[in-house]
Amino acid sequence: MLQVVSARRELPILGQAQPERSDAARNRQKIIEATTRLIAEHGTEQLSLDEVARAAGVGVGTVYRRFGDRSGLLLALIDEHERRFQEAFLSGPPPLGPGAADRDRLRAFLHALVDRIRGQEGLFLMLEKGVRYSGPYQVHHTHVATLVAGVRPGCDAHFLADGLLAPLNANLICRRGYSIERIKSGIDQLVDLL
Amino acid sequence: MLQVVSARRELPILGQAQPERSDAARNRQKIIEATTRLIAEHGTEQLSLDEVARAAGVGVGTVYRRFGDRSGLLLALIDEHERRFQEAFLSGPPPLGPGAADRDRLRAFLHALVDRIRGQEGLFLMLEKGVRYSGPYQVHHTHVATLVAGVRPGCDAHFLADGLLAPLNANLICRRGYSIERIKSGIDQLVDLL
DNA sequence: TTTGTAAACGGAGACCCCTCCGGTTATCGT
DNA sequence: ACGATAACCGGAGGGGTCTCCGTTTACAAA
C-alpha cells in the first residue's frame, strides 16, 4: 500500500532526523498564513516572495530556507489539500478508494484529479509556467486531430489530440529517464489502442 | 491543407501591414545570431537576455521589442527547424506526409515529434520551466500505473500512466477552453480504450 | 533634396528571485 | 541554572526580466 506523501518531507537533503525547532515551525506557519492572505487579496498572479516575507514579519532568507524556492512554497500550499486527496484514493470509499474494479477506480481518480486541479487552479497554473498551446502547437494539434478523426470516427478528436500530444513534452522525453525506444513503443501502444 | 505557420507572425498585435524596417530586420538577425552563439558557448541553461543584447550590440529594449519576452526569443530559434518539420508532415513523402494510412501517419508524426524535441532539447526544456514529476506526482503516477496494469496486463503501465496524467495539467484544464464535462468525457474515452 | 512622422532605438531603473554570511537563539547535556 | 553548539534568523546584494520614455532614424511624400 502506498503511503500518503507530503511535499514538505522533500526539503531536507536526507530526511529530517530532528523535528523542526520551535521558532522555525512558528515562522513556517506565519509564512503560510501570510501567503494565503496575500493570494486572497491580490490573486496568485502577482505574488512576490519579498512581499510574503514582509507580510509574515520575517526576513526573505527565512522564506527560502523553509521552502527552498517559489515552487516549494506553492507546493506547500497545495500540500494540505493533497493530503486529503491522497487519503481518499488510497484508503477512502470506492470507487475512488479500494473495492471497485480497477477500470472504475482509474476513471474515478482521473475525474477527481481534474476537480482537484480546478480547486486550486491558480496555484497549479503558477507551477506550470511553461509555454504550450502557442505557435507550432496549433499546427501539430490540428494535424493530429485530423488523423485521429480518420482513425477513429466519432470520437472527440480534438481532445484526444491534446491527450496524445501532452506526453510529448521535453520534460517527459528528456528528464524522466525513459529511453527513446521505450517512449516510441509506448506511443505505439497508445496509437494501437485507437 | 494546413499552412506552415511561423511563430514570428504572432508578435504584432494584429498582423503586420508593413514589412519590418531595415534596421529592425538587421537587429533581429543580429540578435538571433548572438543568441545562437551564446547558447553554443555557454549552453542553454544560463542564457541572460541582457547578455544577448550586449553580444548583439543592441540595447536590451530592442531585444524585447523584437521578441516580446524570453519565450518569444526561444520560439524564434525553434522556429527555423519547425518550418522544415511542418513541411515534412504536411507535404513531404509518406508515411510522414500524405499518402499513407492515417494510423501510420499518426505514428510517424508522433515519432518524428519525439526526435524533433530531442534535437532541440535545451530550448524546449527552457520553455517548459514548470515543476512536474515532483512531490504528489510520484504518488499519482504509482497509483495510476498500478490500476493500468490491472486493467491491461502486459502493457507498459509506467509509461501509459505518464501518458494518462500528462493531459491533466492546469494549462489544458483551465486555459484551453474545454468544459469540465468535455474533459471528463474525453478522459473516459481514453480509459475505455484500455 | 528636404522634411514630417511613425517606428525603432537604448539604457536607466523598477521589481523580482535567490544566496550568503555575520549575528542570534532554541535546545540539550551537565 | 548554565554554557556549548547547531540551527535559525535577517537583510544586503548579485544577477536576472522586463518597462518606460526621451532620442534617433528609416522611409515616403512633396
PDB file of all heavy atoms in Angstrom, chain A residues 101-113:
ATOM      1  N   ALA A 101     -13.667  -1.992  -9.207  1.00  0.00           N
ATOM      2  CA  ALA A 101     -12.830  -2.553 -10.273  1.00  0.00           C
ATOM      3  C   ALA A 101     -11.773  -1.530 -10.678  1.00  0.00           C
ATOM      4  O   ALA A 101     -11.988  -0.317 -10.566  1.00  0.00           O
ATOM      5  CB  ALA A 101     -13.691  -2.905 -11.480  1.00  0.00           C
ATOM      6  N   ASP A 102     -10.623  -2.021 -11.132  1.00  0.00           N
ATOM      7  CA  ASP A 102      -9.520  -1.134 -11.494  1.00  0.00           C
ATOM      8  C   ASP A 102      -9.951  -0.059 -12.487  1.00  0.00           C
ATOM      9  O   ASP A 102      -9.605   1.114 -12.340  1.00  0.00           O
ATOM     10  CB  ASP A 102      -8.368  -1.954 -12.080  1.00  0.00           C
ATOM     11  CG  ASP A 102      -7.604  -2.705 -10.999  1.00  0.00           C
ATOM     12  OD1 ASP A 102      -7.715  -2.299  -9.821  1.00  0.00           O
ATOM     13  OD2 ASP A 102      -6.908  -3.680 -11.325  1.00  0.00           O
ATOM     14  N   ARG A 103     -10.696  -0.479 -13.490  1.00  0.00           N
ATOM     15  CA  ARG A 103     -11.097   0.497 -14.509  1.00  0.00           C
ATOM     16  C   ARG A 103     -11.929   1.618 -13.893  1.00  0.00           C
ATOM     17  O   ARG A 103     -11.729   2.797 -14.199  1.00  0.00           O
ATOM     18  CB  ARG A 103     -11.879  -0.191 -15.610  1.00  0.00           C
ATOM     19  CG  ARG A 103     -12.285   0.756 -16.738  1.00  0.00           C
ATOM     20  CD  ARG A 103     -13.195   0.062 -17.736  1.00  0.00           C
ATOM     21  NE  ARG A 103     -12.554  -1.099 -18.345  1.00  0.00           N
ATOM     22  CZ  ARG A 103     -11.736  -1.025 -19.394  1.00  0.00           C
ATOM     23  NH1 ARG A 103     -11.483   0.150 -19.939  1.00  0.00           N
ATOM     24  NH2 ARG A 103     -11.186  -2.107 -19.885  1.00  0.00           N
ATOM     25  N   ASP A 104     -12.825   1.262 -12.995  1.00  0.00           N
ATOM     26  CA  ASP A 104     -13.673   2.277 -12.370  1.00  0.00           C
ATOM     27  C   ASP A 104     -12.864   3.173 -11.443  1.00  0.00           C
ATOM     28  O   ASP A 104     -13.089   4.377 -11.369  1.00  0.00           O
ATOM     29  CB  ASP A 104     -14.805   1.609 -11.588  1.00  0.00           C
ATOM     30  CG  ASP A 104     -15.729   0.829 -12.518  1.00  0.00           C
ATOM     31  OD1 ASP A 104     -15.876   1.252 -13.678  1.00  0.00           O
ATOM     32  OD2 ASP A 104     -16.269  -0.204 -12.082  1.00  0.00           O
ATOM     33  N   ARG A 105     -11.924   2.562 -10.756  1.00  0.00           N
ATOM     34  CA  ARG A 105     -11.078   3.387  -9.881  1.00  0.00           C
ATOM     35  C   ARG A 105     -10.250   4.349 -10.714  1.00  0.00           C
ATOM     36  O   ARG A 105     -10.052   5.507 -10.338  1.00  0.00           O
ATOM     37  CB  ARG A 105     -10.139   2.503  -9.053  1.00  0.00           C
ATOM     38  CG  ARG A 105     -10.841   1.749  -7.937  1.00  0.00           C
ATOM     39  CD  ARG A 105      -9.830   1.112  -7.015  1.00  0.00           C
ATOM     40  NE  ARG A 105      -9.147   2.093  -6.179  1.00  0.00           N
ATOM     41  CZ  ARG A 105      -8.079   1.813  -5.432  1.00  0.00           C
ATOM     42  NH1 ARG A 105      -7.573   0.596  -5.455  1.00  0.00           N
ATOM     43  NH2 ARG A 105      -7.533   2.755  -4.693  1.00  0.00           N
ATOM     44  N   LEU A 106      -9.747   3.858 -11.815  1.00  0.00           N
ATOM     45  CA  LEU A 106      -8.934   4.721 -12.681  1.00  0.00           C
ATOM     46  C   LEU A 106      -9.753   5.912 -13.151  1.00  0.00           C
ATOM     47  O   LEU A 106      -9.326   7.068 -13.041  1.00  0.00           O
ATOM     48  CB  LEU A 106      -8.435   3.904 -13.871  1.00  0.00           C
ATOM     49  CG  LEU A 106      -7.524   4.621 -14.861  1.00  0.00           C
ATOM     50  CD1 LEU A 106      -6.329   5.219 -14.145  1.00  0.00           C
ATOM     51  CD2 LEU A 106      -7.059   3.645 -15.940  1.00  0.00           C
ATOM     52  N   ARG A 107     -10.926   5.610 -13.648  1.00  0.00           N
ATOM     53  CA  ARG A 107     -11.783   6.695 -14.121  1.00  0.00           C
ATOM     54  C   ARG A 107     -12.086   7.664 -12.983  1.00  0.00           C
ATOM     55  O   ARG A 107     -11.963   8.888 -13.135  1.00  0.00           O
ATOM     56  CB  ARG A 107     -13.077   6.097 -14.679  1.00  0.00           C
ATOM     57  CG  ARG A 107     -13.879   7.013 -15.582  1.00  0.00           C
ATOM     58  CD  ARG A 107     -15.298   6.492 -15.797  1.00  0.00           C
ATOM     59  NE  ARG A 107     -15.345   5.048 -16.013  1.00  0.00           N
ATOM     60  CZ  ARG A 107     -15.244   4.470 -17.216  1.00  0.00           C
ATOM     61  NH1 ARG A 107     -15.104   5.228 -18.284  1.00  0.00           N
ATOM     62  NH2 ARG A 107     -15.297   3.151 -17.330  1.00  0.00           N
ATOM     63  N   ALA A 108     -12.431   7.123 -11.849  1.00  0.00           N
ATOM     64  CA  ALA A 108     -12.778   7.979 -10.712  1.00  0.00           C
ATOM     65  C   ALA A 108     -11.597   8.844 -10.299  1.00  0.00           C
ATOM     66  O   ALA A 108     -11.738  10.026  -9.994  1.00  0.00           O
ATOM     67  CB  ALA A 108     -13.243   7.127  -9.534  1.00  0.00           C
ATOM     68  N   PHE A 109     -10.410   8.235 -10.318  1.00  0.00           N
ATOM     69  CA  PHE A 109      -9.229   9.001  -9.921  1.00  0.00           C
ATOM     70  C   PHE A 109      -8.971  10.156 -10.880  1.00  0.00           C
ATOM     71  O   PHE A 109      -8.719  11.288 -10.456  1.00  0.00           O
ATOM     72  CB  PHE A 109      -8.002   8.090  -9.876  1.00  0.00           C
ATOM     73  CG  PHE A 109      -6.719   8.847  -9.673  1.00  0.00           C
ATOM     74  CD1 PHE A 109      -6.386   9.320  -8.424  1.00  0.00           C
ATOM     75  CD2 PHE A 109      -5.877   9.121 -10.745  1.00  0.00           C
ATOM     76  CE1 PHE A 109      -5.212  10.048  -8.232  1.00  0.00           C
ATOM     77  CE2 PHE A 109      -4.708   9.843 -10.562  1.00  0.00           C
ATOM     78  CZ  PHE A 109      -4.379  10.303  -9.301  1.00  0.00           C
ATOM     79  N   LEU A 110      -9.030   9.882 -12.152  1.00  0.00           N
ATOM     80  CA  LEU A 110      -8.733  10.941 -13.118  1.00  0.00           C
ATOM     81  C   LEU A 110      -9.775  12.058 -13.042  1.00  0.00           C
ATOM     82  O   LEU A 110      -9.431  13.242 -13.097  1.00  0.00           O
ATOM     83  CB  LEU A 110      -8.654  10.354 -14.526  1.00  0.00           C
ATOM     84  CG  LEU A 110      -7.504   9.346 -14.716  1.00  0.00           C
ATOM     85  CD1 LEU A 110      -7.539   8.722 -16.104  1.00  0.00           C
ATOM     86  CD2 LEU A 110      -6.144  10.008 -14.472  1.00  0.00           C
ATOM     87  N   HIS A 111     -11.017  11.683 -12.869  1.00  0.00           N
ATOM     88  CA  HIS A 111     -12.045  12.719 -12.689  1.00  0.00           C
ATOM     89  C   HIS A 111     -11.758  13.551 -11.443  1.00  0.00           C
ATOM     90  O   HIS A 111     -11.845  14.776 -11.460  1.00  0.00           O
ATOM     91  CB  HIS A 111     -13.434  12.067 -12.564  1.00  0.00           C
ATOM     92  CG  HIS A 111     -13.993  11.577 -13.859  1.00  0.00           C
ATOM     93  ND1 HIS A 111     -15.323  11.432 -14.096  1.00  0.00           N
ATOM     94  CD2 HIS A 111     -13.378  11.193 -15.007  1.00  0.00           C
ATOM     95  CE1 HIS A 111     -15.523  10.979 -15.325  1.00  0.00           C
ATOM     96  NE2 HIS A 111     -14.347  10.808 -15.899  1.00  0.00           N
ATOM     97  N   ALA A 112     -11.413  12.868 -10.382  1.00  0.00           N
ATOM     98  CA  ALA A 112     -11.157  13.591  -9.135  1.00  0.00           C
ATOM     99  C   ALA A 112      -9.956  14.517  -9.285  1.00  0.00           C
ATOM    100  O   ALA A 112      -9.922  15.619  -8.731  1.00  0.00           O
ATOM    101  CB  ALA A 112     -10.929  12.598  -7.997  1.00  0.00           C
ATOM    102  N   LEU A 113      -8.986  14.056 -10.041  1.00  0.00           N
ATOM    103  CA  LEU A 113      -7.798  14.888 -10.235  1.00  0.00           C
ATOM    104  C   LEU A 113      -8.141  16.162 -11.007  1.00  0.00           C
ATOM    105  O   LEU A 113      -7.638  17.242 -10.711  1.00  0.00           O
ATOM    106  CB  LEU A 113      -6.716  14.081 -10.971  1.00  0.00           C
ATOM    107  CG  LEU A 113      -5.365  14.746 -11.129  1.00  0.00           C
ATOM    108  CD1 LEU A 113      -4.837  15.249  -9.801  1.00  0.00           C
ATOM    109  CD2 LEU A 113      -4.368  13.781 -11.761  1.00  0.00           C
TER     110      LEU A 113
END
